[in-house]
Amino acid sequence: MSSSSASIASSPVPAHYGLREDAIFPQLQVLSMDQQESMALELSRSKESVILITLLGCESCEQTLKHMKMYNLLAFEFDLSILTFLYPGVYYADDKIARHTHFLEELTASRKFIVLEESINQLEINSFPTLMRIKPDGKVVGTYLADAHQIAPHFQSSVTIKAS
């Protein structure tokens, strides 16, 4: 995708679900991707936090992750975390985890975690992929649809396309 097509984006599409504007982002427990150790998700206190929430085995989520490869995510002016929902009773879990991990490994983002059902319920998420923006004071800016063609508006103020 050329850098000119990355800038041809409409405004972000708010979701009809998820935490609303000015809601306080809850304290979430996440699991590390590698050793699945439980820890609290830390949000930035100095800049906006953006959280992409994906679902294991979700084709739209995989498309969004593939699309995000073109960005140098570490150069963004916000703190990005990618959460993967590992839902109960997932079929072919090992295959789906391996495939999803492959997509995540291709991204320059350093904050990648697994979340379980309790966290998804706290965030009131029922569709994937979803993107949430949170101010440094912990208040939610909004919850948005995050299909591959809908994420560019969130990245435009910080756009840095990776050199091929």
PDB file of all heavy atoms in Angstrom, residues 47 70-80 108-110 155-162:
ATOM      1  N   LYS A  47       1.041  10.327  27.803  1.00  0.00           N
ATOM      2  CA  LYS A  47       0.506  10.478  26.447  1.00  0.00           C
ATOM      3  C   LYS A  47      -0.690   9.559  26.269  1.00  0.00           C
ATOM      4  O   LYS A  47      -0.939   8.683  27.102  1.00  0.00           O
ATOM      5  CB  LYS A  47       1.581  10.197  25.400  1.00  0.00           C
ATOM      6  CG  LYS A  47       2.230   8.833  25.510  1.00  0.00           C
ATOM      7  CD  LYS A  47       3.383   8.719  24.529  1.00  0.00           C
ATOM      8  CE  LYS A  47       4.118   7.406  24.707  1.00  0.00           C
ATOM      9  NZ  LYS A  47       5.217   7.268  23.752  1.00  0.00           N
ATOM     10  N   MET A  70       2.623  -1.986   7.800  1.00  0.00           N
ATOM     11  CA  MET A  70       3.225  -0.879   7.050  1.00  0.00           C
ATOM     12  C   MET A  70       3.642   0.290   7.947  1.00  0.00           C
ATOM     13  O   MET A  70       4.351   1.175   7.519  1.00  0.00           O
ATOM     14  CB  MET A  70       2.272  -0.381   5.969  1.00  0.00           C
ATOM     15  CG  MET A  70       1.068   0.334   6.472  1.00  0.00           C
ATOM     16  SD  MET A  70       0.047   0.762   5.065  1.00  0.00           S
ATOM     17  CE  MET A  70      -0.552   2.337   5.587  1.00  0.00           C
ATOM     18  N   TYR A  71       3.188   0.289   9.196  1.00  0.00           N
ATOM     19  CA  TYR A  71       3.500   1.389  10.105  1.00  0.00           C
ATOM     20  C   TYR A  71       4.689   1.059  11.005  1.00  0.00           C
ATOM     21  O   TYR A  71       4.852  -0.078  11.437  1.00  0.00           O
ATOM     22  CB  TYR A  71       2.303   1.684  11.020  1.00  0.00           C
ATOM     23  CG  TYR A  71       1.074   2.157  10.300  1.00  0.00           C
ATOM     24  CD1 TYR A  71      -0.011   1.320  10.135  1.00  0.00           C
ATOM     25  CD2 TYR A  71       0.998   3.454   9.797  1.00  0.00           C
ATOM     26  CE1 TYR A  71      -1.163   1.755   9.487  1.00  0.00           C
ATOM     27  CE2 TYR A  71      -0.137   3.896   9.141  1.00  0.00           C
ATOM     28  CZ  TYR A  71      -1.208   3.043   8.991  1.00  0.00           C
ATOM     29  OH  TYR A  71      -2.331   3.475   8.341  1.00  0.00           O
ATOM     30  N   ASN A  72       5.474   2.078  11.310  1.00  0.00           N
ATOM     31  CA  ASN A  72       6.491   1.960  12.343  1.00  0.00           C
ATOM     32  C   ASN A  72       5.793   2.319  13.652  1.00  0.00           C
ATOM     33  O   ASN A  72       5.734   3.483  14.042  1.00  0.00           O
ATOM     34  CB  ASN A  72       7.665   2.898  12.076  1.00  0.00           C
ATOM     35  CG  ASN A  72       8.706   2.816  13.159  1.00  0.00           C
ATOM     36  OD1 ASN A  72       8.568   2.051  14.110  1.00  0.00           O
ATOM     37  ND2 ASN A  72       9.751   3.603  13.029  1.00  0.00           N
ATOM     38  N   LEU A  73       5.226   1.340  14.292  1.00  0.00           N
ATOM     39  CA  LEU A  73       4.370   1.565  15.454  1.00  0.00           C
ATOM     40  C   LEU A  73       5.122   2.167  16.637  1.00  0.00           C
ATOM     41  O   LEU A  73       4.527   2.846  17.470  1.00  0.00           O
ATOM     42  CB  LEU A  73       3.692   0.255  15.858  1.00  0.00           C
ATOM     43  CG  LEU A  73       2.849  -0.401  14.752  1.00  0.00           C
ATOM     44  CD1 LEU A  73       2.367  -1.776  15.181  1.00  0.00           C
ATOM     45  CD2 LEU A  73       1.683   0.475  14.355  1.00  0.00           C
ATOM     46  N   LEU A  74       6.421   1.956  16.705  1.00  0.00           N
ATOM     47  CA  LEU A  74       7.206   2.520  17.811  1.00  0.00           C
ATOM     48  C   LEU A  74       7.407   4.027  17.653  1.00  0.00           C
ATOM     49  O   LEU A  74       7.766   4.704  18.618  1.00  0.00           O
ATOM     50  CB  LEU A  74       8.558   1.812  17.907  1.00  0.00           C
ATOM     51  CG  LEU A  74       8.484   0.318  18.231  1.00  0.00           C
ATOM     52  CD1 LEU A  74       9.871  -0.302  18.189  1.00  0.00           C
ATOM     53  CD2 LEU A  74       7.828   0.079  19.576  1.00  0.00           C
ATOM     54  N   ALA A  75       7.168   4.560  16.461  1.00  0.00           N
ATOM     55  CA  ALA A  75       7.365   5.988  16.222  1.00  0.00           C
ATOM     56  C   ALA A  75       6.106   6.814  16.502  1.00  0.00           C
ATOM     57  O   ALA A  75       6.139   8.036  16.418  1.00  0.00           O
ATOM     58  CB  ALA A  75       7.816   6.211  14.769  1.00  0.00           C
ATOM     59  N   PHE A  76       5.017   6.157  16.847  1.00  0.00           N
ATOM     60  CA  PHE A  76       3.763   6.880  17.082  1.00  0.00           C
ATOM     61  C   PHE A  76       3.854   7.769  18.314  1.00  0.00           C
ATOM     62  O   PHE A  76       4.615   7.498  19.242  1.00  0.00           O
ATOM     63  CB  PHE A  76       2.593   5.911  17.227  1.00  0.00           C
ATOM     64  CG  PHE A  76       2.102   5.338  15.919  1.00  0.00           C
ATOM     65  CD1 PHE A  76       1.247   4.267  15.930  1.00  0.00           C
ATOM     66  CD2 PHE A  76       2.482   5.859  14.700  1.00  0.00           C
ATOM     67  CE1 PHE A  76       0.768   3.726  14.748  1.00  0.00           C
ATOM     68  CE2 PHE A  76       2.015   5.328  13.507  1.00  0.00           C
ATOM     69  CZ  PHE A  76       1.155   4.262  13.528  1.00  0.00           C
ATOM     70  N   GLU A  77       3.045   8.801  18.328  1.00  0.00           N
ATOM     71  CA  GLU A  77       3.008   9.756  19.435  1.00  0.00           C
ATOM     72  C   GLU A  77       2.123   9.256  20.574  1.00  0.00           C
ATOM     73  O   GLU A  77       1.893   9.985  21.530  1.00  0.00           O
ATOM     74  CB  GLU A  77       2.498  11.108  18.933  1.00  0.00           C
ATOM     75  CG  GLU A  77       3.417  11.735  17.917  1.00  0.00           C
ATOM     76  CD  GLU A  77       2.806  12.937  17.233  1.00  0.00           C
ATOM     77  OE1 GLU A  77       1.669  13.329  17.570  1.00  0.00           O
ATOM     78  OE2 GLU A  77       3.469  13.484  16.344  1.00  0.00           O
ATOM     79  N   PHE A  78       1.619   8.055  20.470  1.00  0.00           N
ATOM     80  CA  PHE A  78       0.808   7.471  21.531  1.00  0.00           C
ATOM     81  C   PHE A  78       1.395   6.122  21.911  1.00  0.00           C
ATOM     82  O   PHE A  78       2.259   5.587  21.229  1.00  0.00           O
ATOM     83  CB  PHE A  78      -0.659   7.328  21.101  1.00  0.00           C
ATOM     84  CG  PHE A  78      -0.851   6.624  19.786  1.00  0.00           C
ATOM     85  CD1 PHE A  78      -0.742   5.247  19.682  1.00  0.00           C
ATOM     86  CD2 PHE A  78      -1.139   7.351  18.643  1.00  0.00           C
ATOM     87  CE1 PHE A  78      -0.920   4.603  18.463  1.00  0.00           C
ATOM     88  CE2 PHE A  78      -1.320   6.708  17.421  1.00  0.00           C
ATOM     89  CZ  PHE A  78      -1.208   5.337  17.336  1.00  0.00           C
ATOM     90  N   ASP A  79       0.926   5.588  23.021  1.00  0.00           N
ATOM     91  CA  ASP A  79       1.381   4.298  23.519  1.00  0.00           C
ATOM     92  C   ASP A  79       0.410   3.235  23.008  1.00  0.00           C
ATOM     93  O   ASP A  79      -0.777   3.291  23.323  1.00  0.00           O
ATOM     94  CB  ASP A  79       1.387   4.359  25.052  1.00  0.00           C
ATOM     95  CG  ASP A  79       1.982   3.130  25.679  1.00  0.00           C
ATOM     96  OD1 ASP A  79       2.967   2.603  25.130  1.00  0.00           O
ATOM     97  OD2 ASP A  79       1.457   2.692  26.718  1.00  0.00           O
ATOM     98  N   LEU A  80       0.881   2.296  22.211  1.00  0.00           N
ATOM     99  CA  LEU A  80       0.027   1.277  21.604  1.00  0.00           C
ATOM    100  C   LEU A  80       0.164  -0.062  22.322  1.00  0.00           C
ATOM    101  O   LEU A  80       1.278  -0.539  22.554  1.00  0.00           O
ATOM    102  CB  LEU A  80       0.393   1.090  20.130  1.00  0.00           C
ATOM    103  CG  LEU A  80      -0.357  -0.012  19.388  1.00  0.00           C
ATOM    104  CD1 LEU A  80      -1.834   0.342  19.231  1.00  0.00           C
ATOM    105  CD2 LEU A  80       0.278  -0.269  18.026  1.00  0.00           C
ATOM    106  N   THR A 108       5.960  -3.910  14.774  1.00  0.00           N
ATOM    107  CA  THR A 108       6.994  -3.304  15.600  1.00  0.00           C
ATOM    108  C   THR A 108       6.487  -2.955  16.999  1.00  0.00           C
ATOM    109  O   THR A 108       7.256  -2.491  17.824  1.00  0.00           O
ATOM    110  CB  THR A 108       7.545  -2.032  14.935  1.00  0.00           C
ATOM    111  OG1 THR A 108       6.461  -1.142  14.647  1.00  0.00           O
ATOM    112  CG2 THR A 108       8.312  -2.352  13.670  1.00  0.00           C
ATOM    113  N   ALA A 109       5.226  -3.181  17.281  1.00  0.00           N
ATOM    114  CA  ALA A 109       4.673  -2.876  18.606  1.00  0.00           C
ATOM    115  C   ALA A 109       5.323  -3.781  19.653  1.00  0.00           C
ATOM    116  O   ALA A 109       5.531  -4.966  19.421  1.00  0.00           O
ATOM    117  CB  ALA A 109       3.164  -3.066  18.620  1.00  0.00           C
ATOM    118  N   SER A 110       5.621  -3.211  20.798  1.00  0.00           N
ATOM    119  CA  SER A 110       6.283  -3.999  21.837  1.00  0.00           C
ATOM    120  C   SER A 110       5.325  -4.452  22.934  1.00  0.00           C
ATOM    121  O   SER A 110       5.652  -5.340  23.705  1.00  0.00           O
ATOM    122  CB  SER A 110       7.418  -3.186  22.463  1.00  0.00           C
ATOM    123  OG  SER A 110       6.908  -2.001  23.029  1.00  0.00           O
ATOM    124  N   PHE A 155      -4.237   6.762  13.236  1.00  0.00           N
ATOM    125  CA  PHE A 155      -2.790   6.820  13.130  1.00  0.00           C
ATOM    126  C   PHE A 155      -2.313   8.061  12.382  1.00  0.00           C
ATOM    127  O   PHE A 155      -1.128   8.327  12.336  1.00  0.00           O
ATOM    128  CB  PHE A 155      -2.257   5.576  12.407  1.00  0.00           C
ATOM    129  CG  PHE A 155      -2.530   4.289  13.142  1.00  0.00           C
ATOM    130  CD1 PHE A 155      -2.412   3.088  12.473  1.00  0.00           C
ATOM    131  CD2 PHE A 155      -2.890   4.264  14.478  1.00  0.00           C
ATOM    132  CE1 PHE A 155      -2.627   1.884  13.141  1.00  0.00           C
ATOM    133  CE2 PHE A 155      -3.126   3.066  15.148  1.00  0.00           C
ATOM    134  CZ  PHE A 155      -2.982   1.872  14.468  1.00  0.00           C
ATOM    135  N   GLN A 156      -3.198   8.827  11.768  1.00  0.00           N
ATOM    136  CA  GLN A 156      -2.787   9.909  10.880  1.00  0.00           C
ATOM    137  C   GLN A 156      -1.920  10.972  11.537  1.00  0.00           C
ATOM    138  O   GLN A 156      -0.991  11.444  10.923  1.00  0.00           O
ATOM    139  CB  GLN A 156      -3.998  10.559  10.208  1.00  0.00           C
ATOM    140  CG  GLN A 156      -4.497   9.700   9.079  1.00  0.00           C
ATOM    141  CD  GLN A 156      -5.633  10.335   8.336  1.00  0.00           C
ATOM    142  OE1 GLN A 156      -6.257  11.266   8.802  1.00  0.00           O
ATOM    143  NE2 GLN A 156      -5.894   9.824   7.158  1.00  0.00           N
ATOM    144  N   SER A 157      -2.199  11.356  12.765  1.00  0.00           N
ATOM    145  CA  SER A 157      -1.378  12.397  13.381  1.00  0.00           C
ATOM    146  C   SER A 157       0.011  11.869  13.711  1.00  0.00           C
ATOM    147  O   SER A 157       0.925  12.637  13.960  1.00  0.00           O
ATOM    148  CB  SER A 157      -2.052  12.938  14.645  1.00  0.00           C
ATOM    149  OG  SER A 157      -2.115  11.922  15.622  1.00  0.00           O
ATOM    150  N   SER A 158       0.159  10.557  13.719  1.00  0.00           N
ATOM    151  CA  SER A 158       1.444   9.950  14.065  1.00  0.00           C
ATOM    152  C   SER A 158       2.009   9.097  12.939  1.00  0.00           C
ATOM    153  O   SER A 158       2.905   8.311  13.157  1.00  0.00           O
ATOM    154  CB  SER A 158       1.268   9.042  15.289  1.00  0.00           C
ATOM    155  OG  SER A 158       0.882   9.769  16.401  1.00  0.00           O
ATOM    156  N   VAL A 159       1.472   9.230  11.727  1.00  0.00           N
ATOM    157  CA  VAL A 159       1.823   8.298  10.653  1.00  0.00           C
ATOM    158  C   VAL A 159       3.306   8.312  10.347  1.00  0.00           C
ATOM    159  O   VAL A 159       3.909   9.338  10.097  1.00  0.00           O
ATOM    160  CB  VAL A 159       1.027   8.588   9.367  1.00  0.00           C
ATOM    161  CG1 VAL A 159       1.606   7.808   8.198  1.00  0.00           C
ATOM    162  CG2 VAL A 159      -0.414   8.209   9.551  1.00  0.00           C
ATOM    163  N   THR A 160       3.870   7.133  10.433  1.00  0.00           N
ATOM    164  CA  THR A 160       5.225   6.869   9.980  1.00  0.00           C
ATOM    165  C   THR A 160       5.154   5.541   9.257  1.00  0.00           C
ATOM    166  O   THR A 160       4.963   4.505   9.880  1.00  0.00           O
ATOM    167  CB  THR A 160       6.210   6.763  11.167  1.00  0.00           C
ATOM    168  OG1 THR A 160       6.123   7.957  11.925  1.00  0.00           O
ATOM    169  CG2 THR A 160       7.615   6.566  10.682  1.00  0.00           C
ATOM    170  N   ILE A 161       5.270   5.592   7.942  1.00  0.00           N
ATOM    171  CA  ILE A 161       5.232   4.379   7.140  1.00  0.00           C
ATOM    172  C   ILE A 161       6.637   3.790   7.106  1.00  0.00           C
ATOM    173  O   ILE A 161       7.625   4.505   6.898  1.00  0.00           O
ATOM    174  CB  ILE A 161       4.762   4.698   5.690  1.00  0.00           C
ATOM    175  CG1 ILE A 161       3.469   5.488   5.714  1.00  0.00           C
ATOM    176  CG2 ILE A 161       4.689   3.447   4.860  1.00  0.00           C
ATOM    177  CD1 ILE A 161       2.212   4.707   5.858  1.00  0.00           C
ATOM    178  N   LYS A 162       6.746   2.468   7.298  1.00  0.00           N
ATOM    179  CA  LYS A 162       8.033   1.813   7.243  1.00  0.00           C
ATOM    180  C   LYS A 162       8.533   1.780   5.807  1.00  0.00           C
ATOM    181  O   LYS A 162       7.767   1.596   4.877  1.00  0.00           O
ATOM    182  CB  LYS A 162       7.928   0.375   7.749  1.00  0.00           C
ATOM    183  CG  LYS A 162       7.745   0.261   9.218  1.00  0.00           C
ATOM    184  CD  LYS A 162       8.029  -1.122   9.746  1.00  0.00           C
ATOM    185  CE  LYS A 162       7.265  -2.224   9.101  1.00  0.00           C
ATOM    186  NZ  LYS A 162       7.385  -3.501   9.783  1.00  0.00           N
TER     187      LYS A 162
END
